[in-house]
Each structure stands twice: as structure tokens, then as C-alpha cells.
Amino acid sequence: DFIICGYRLFIGAPVPELFVVWAPVMVTVGGILKLLKKHWFLIGILCSVILAVLLPKYGAGGPPLYPKITAKWIAVIIIFFLQGVSIPVKKIKTALLNWQATLLSIVWIFILTPIEFFALSHLIGMFGIVNSDILKGIIILGCLPTTISSGVVLTEAAGGNQAISLVAAVATNMAGILVSPLLLLLFLGSKELLDKPWLFLAKLVLRVVVPFVIGNLVQPWLKPLISKVCKIGDINNTLMLFVIYTAVAKSTFQKPDGIQIPQLLIVFGGLFSVHISILLIGFATSKPCSKSLPVPDRLAVAIMSSQKTLALGVPLINVMFENDPSNGLYTVPLLLYHPMTLIFMSVMSTPIRQRLGGTKDKVKPEKLSEEPEPPVEEELAAGCGDIQAGCDEESQKEGTA
């Protein structure tokens, strides 16, 4: 309507009927494109899964994609190399001074959450409804470290300590390369995970550890160079969508009945309950463990403990369970949990900040005088008297002149 009025005002001619018809459509399309640009990765995850279910044979193996080389080696190596380039290791020093909150975050991420997800997997498994491979994926999800960029952003939006969330994210992602496989050995057992431990260790070092270390070493000069061309996160996310497609396509091709909607709904409800419980437990227990922690620090501990990384999780699962035909099903809980936590915390960050983020004491205005204020009628009468006196003085001066 604003554009149409402006057209009539400045052009002085009637608006073309075609423009009037298509203007609302153009505005709607512009809004949709803006939404797609903002949340393209979350929408891309959904599209990758749908594409893998509809066209699994292209991602299951062989030409033209050759996922055994492109997805399992090239994409994974590039992802972890760029992870090493992008992680801000130098900023760890600023948050290491607050070691209590940082230590709590790391302990909660690698101890509390694996136990909760392990319990959830066995609780759902008692009913015999959900696929055992998806239940195993829930345990794998609990052993992963927290997110980096999204976790820090959500912590800041909720009024938490951004420095603590950053150091917790960096420390757990660097340690998770080795700690997560060890946790999986503990919860899943070596027979289910490792048939040839030395071969697995060699693959883990070549695909994950070495690219990550090299990327971290060349970070000072390579990161500014890449940032001038594009965002490092966009490159990683694009490769991630390809890895997700090939992993889910392989499992769908070999196990067509592995993914069912009722099972996904049950798993989604369980994951949402665990997410809420981790937030509450992380926030509640951080105060007894350290009475000196302020509310922003406790918020950082709770939020970072409840997040799980997709950027490290999918490639790590792809490396650890390379020859397992169910490795795509192992990623399903992670693909459900990651978008769910992002959306939920994005919605709840403002209420949390308003309720818990305001730690500053309100300053009460001091009384200037102990004398009671005069009534409104007396003020009006006094003001009218002053105005009348001023008018009389002006009249006398005019008369004298």
C-alpha cells in the first residue's frame, strides 16, 4: 500500500493492475527468501534427510558421488581442518580465571549428559517400540561435546556469561575428539564399537586429529584469508549436509524400514524431556557446587551442558562407525536434538534473560526533603498569584512610560 501511494503521488499516473496483483506476492516471496537465508542450514538438514529417504541409492555408494571417498575422507578432513582454523584458542585465557564455572561445564557435558541419555535410551527400550539402532544413537548423542557458535550465541542472548560458554565449547570440542570415543567404549562396549582398535585409532588420527591440529597451527594467517571470501561456518555446514545425506541414504538403502514416524515422535519427546532436565539440573546444581557463582555463570553452565554439536558429531559418527550399515540411523537422534534445542532456546532466551538475567540492584530515589509536599490546590493558587503579580508590574511600567 505504501509503494502504491508513493507511485500515485510521484508518478501521477494510475498504478498498473499487474503490479497491484503481484505486489503482495512479491512481498511474501521476499519474506520467504529472507527466512530461507536466515535458517538455511536447519532447512537443509530436513531436505537432506527427505532426499536420502526418497533417493537413497545415490548416497549409498558408488558413482556418481563415491561417498566412501568424498563423504568419509575428503569432507570429514576438510570439516575438522576448518574446525581447527575457526576455534578461537587464544580466548581461552580470558575465561580460565573463572575455573569453577568452566570445570563445572566440562564435567556436566561429559558426565551428567551421557548418564541422562544412557538412561533415556534404556527407558525407551523397555517398551520395545523404537529401533535398537536409534536407541544406540541416543547414547552416542549423549557422549558428544557441546556446540561452539550457537551455544555461545544462545548463552549471550539469555544473559549468561559469554566467556565461560566460549571456553567450555572450545575445551570440550578439542577434548571430545578423544573423550567421546572413550565414552562410547564405556557405554557401548568394545565389541560393538571396535573390531580392530589399531585400525580405528589410525583412521581417527588421520581424519580428525591431524587435520584439526594443522588447521589450528595455520589459523593466524589462513582464517583472515578465508573470511574475506566467505564464512568458514557456511563451508562446514554445506559439507555437513552432504555427509548427512550420504549417512542417512546408506542406512535407508540397506534398512528401508529403519525410520518410522511414530518412533521419531517418541524419541523427540524423550529428547525434549532430557533437554529440559539438563537445563534445570545444570542451573540448580551449579550453586551448591560453588556458592560464589553468579546467575550469568550458572546460566552459561546450564545452557552449554544442554547443547550437542552437529559439526563434530556427524563426522565423528561417520568415522567411528564407517563399516556399520546403521551409522545413518545413529545420527537420527542428533539430527532431531540439535534443531530442537536451537529453536527452543531461541524462543526462551528472552524470558530467561528477563527473569534471571537482571542481577543489578535497583537504585531507590533519595528523598530531598522531609517536609510534606503541598497539596495540588495550593500549588495552583500560588502559581496563579505569581502570574497576577507579574501582570500588575508590567501594567505599572507601561503606565509610567
Side-chain angles (χ1 to χ4, degrees):
D1 293 340
F2 179 77
I3 296 174
I4 291 173
C5 292
Y7 186 92
R8 290 174 178 173
L9 179 63
F10 293 102
I11 305 300
V15 181
E17 185 177 355
L18 184 64
F19 177 80
V20 177
V21 173
W22 284 99
V25 179
M26 292 168 62
V27 173
T28 305
V29 172
I32 294 175
L33 292 176
K34 186 177 180 181
L35 181 66
L36 292 175
K37 184 178 179 181
K38 184 177 181 181
H39 303 289
W40 69 272
F41 182 60
L42 297 180
I43 298 172
I45 293 175
L46 179 62
C47 294
S48 298
V49 174
I50 294 175
L51 189 64
V53 173
L54 297 178
L55 300 172
K57 64 178 182 178
Y58 296 104
L65 297 180
Y66 296 100
K68 289 185 178 180
I69 299 174
T70 56
K72 297 183 181 298
W73 281 92
I74 298 176
V76 171
I77 289 174
I78 295 175
I79 287 171
F80 281 101
F81 174 77
L82 293 177
Q83 282 281 85
V85 173
S86 60
I87 286 183
V89 181
K90 292 183 179 179
K91 293 186 179 180
I92 294 180
K93 298 178 181 179
T94 60
L96 284 179
L97 298 176
N98 195 346
W99 61 271
Q100 294 175 329
T102 304
L103 182 61
L104 276 176
S105 300
I106 296 174
V107 169
W108 267 213
I109 290 167
F110 284 131
I111 295 180
L112 172 67
T113 57
I115 293 174
E116 287 212 26
F117 283 104
F118 182 79
L120 174 66
S121 175
H122 283 270
L123 180 63
I124 298 178
M126 291 172 58
F127 300 96
I129 302 175
V130 180
N131 191 325
S132 60
D133 295 329
I134 297 180
L135 295 177
K136 190 183 295 184
I138 295 176
I139 299 176
I140 297 171
L141 169 62
C143 298
L144 296 175
T146 186
T147 56
I148 298 180
S149 57
S150 57
V152 175
V153 171
L154 292 173
T155 302
E156 184 182 11
N161 191 322
Q162 187 181 12
I164 292 175
S165 63
L166 179 62
V167 71
V170 174
T172 55
N173 275 265
M174 294 179 68
I177 295 173
L178 297 176
V179 174
S180 293
L182 293 177
L183 288 174
L184 290 174
L185 285 174
L186 176 64
F187 285 105
L188 295 179
S190 58
K191 292 183 180 181
E192 295 185 3
L193 184 61
L194 300 177
D195 294 330
K196 299 178 180 179
W198 294 109
L199 180 61
F200 165 76
L201 186 61
K203 291 180 179 179
L204 187 68
V205 171
L206 290 176
R207 299 187 200 181
V208 178
V209 179
V210 173
F212 184 86
V213 173
I214 294 175
N216 199 255
L217 292 176
V218 300
Q219 181 188 102
W221 64 270
L222 186 59
K223 185 176 182 180
L225 187 63
I226 298 178
S227 300
K228 292 179 180 179
V229 181
C230 61
K231 294 182 179 179
I232 298 177
D234 291 343
I235 303 175
N236 263 352
N237 290 339
T238 304
L239 293 172
M240 197 77 55
L241 295 179
F242 176 66
V243 174
I244 291 172
Y245 166 72
T246 56
V248 178
K250 180 181 177 181
S251 296
T252 306
F253 187 75
Q254 297 181 354
K255 295 185 176 183
D257 299 330
I259 301 176
Q260 298 179 2
I261 300 300
Q263 296 183 12
L264 296 182
L265 294 177
I266 295 172
V267 173
F268 182 85
L271 294 177
F272 183 75
S273 303
V274 168
H275 176 64
I276 299 297
S277 67
I278 293 174
L279 282 172
L280 296 176
I281 293 174
F283 184 78
T285 56
S286 58
K287 186 175 182 179
C289 293
S290 180
K291 296 181 180 180
S292 60
L293 282 184
V295 171
D297 295 1
R298 295 168 61 192
L299 281 174
V301 172
I303 294 173
M304 296 306 294
S305 300
S306 65
Q307 302 293 312
K308 290 298 178 181
T309 176
L310 189 69
L312 182 64
V314 173
L316 200 59
I317 294 172
N318 210 18
V319 172
M320 295 174 63
F321 303 96
E322 178 182 4
N323 299 320
D324 194 332
S326 302
N327 64 346
L329 295 178
Y330 297 157
T331 63
V332 170
L334 177 58
L335 297 179
L336 290 174
Y337 187 81
H338 183 74
M340 179 262 293
T341 54
L342 291 182
I343 296 172
F344 177 76
M345 287 306 303
S346 298
V347 174
M348 294 301 297
S349 59
T350 301
I352 292 174
R353 187 184 189 99
Q354 292 175 350
R355 187 172 183 85
L356 300 176
T359 56
K360 295 181 180 180
D361 298 329
K362 296 181 179 179
V363 180
K364 298 181 179 180
E366 298 179 357
K367 293 183 179 180
L368 299 178
S369 175
E370 297 296 334
E371 297 180 0
E373 297 181 355
V376 177
E377 293 81 358
E378 294 181 5
E379 289 185 352
L380 291 175
C384 293
D386 294 338
I387 294 172
Q388 185 63 36
C391 291
D392 293 340
E393 290 179 359
E394 292 293 332
S395 299
Q396 290 177 2
K397 291 178 180 178
E398 290 178 0
T400 305

